């Protein structure tokens, strides 16, 4: 008969992997939110083109 619960070692390995995945996800979210130094953070590329055409 199979046990209803996983072993402590298996749980700890799974928890460690889960934390690794969460950290990687958060890192990617921060990369996406980081403003690029070569483009204004507030303006979309189409807005940037229109603002240059008006000046």
């Amino acid at each position: 008969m199979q046990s209803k619960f996983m072993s402590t070692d298996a749980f700890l390995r799974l928890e460690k992997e889960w934390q690794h995945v969460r950290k990687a996800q958060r890192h990617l979210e921060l990369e996406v939110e980081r403003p690029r130094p070569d483009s204004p953070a507030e303006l979309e590329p189409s807005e940037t083109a229109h603002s240059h055409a008006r000046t």
Side-chain angles (χ1 to χ4, degrees), residues 1 3-4 6 9 13 15 17 19-21 25-27 30 34 38 44 46 48 54:
M1 185 171 148
S3 173
K4 290 200 283 188
M6 69 175 76
D9 290 339
R13 284 194 309 267
E15 180 67 19
E17 185 61 29
Q19 292 300 324
H20 177 74
V21 169
Q25 178 188 14
R26 184 66 185 142
H27 178 74
L30 291 172
R34 180 185 301 173
D38 57 339
E44 294 293 321
S46 60
T48 306
R54 286 185 239 154

Side-chain angles (χ1 to χ4, degrees), residues 3-54:
S3 173
K4 290 200 283 188
F5 303 105
M6 69 175 76
S7 70
T8 302
D9 290 339
F11 174 78
L12 292 175
R13 284 194 309 267
L14 182 62
E15 180 67 19
K16 184 177 181 180
E17 185 61 29
W18 175 250
Q19 292 300 324
H20 177 74
V21 169
R22 292 286 296 150
K23 184 177 178 182
Q25 178 188 14
R26 184 66 185 142
H27 178 74
L28 289 173
E29 288 171 352
L30 291 172
E31 280 292 316
V32 168
E33 294 171 3
R34 180 185 301 173
R36 300 287 184 236
D38 57 339
S39 65
E42 308 86 30
L43 299 178
E44 294 293 321
S46 60
E47 292 177 73
T48 306
H50 293 302
S51 67
H52 288 303
R54 286 185 239 154

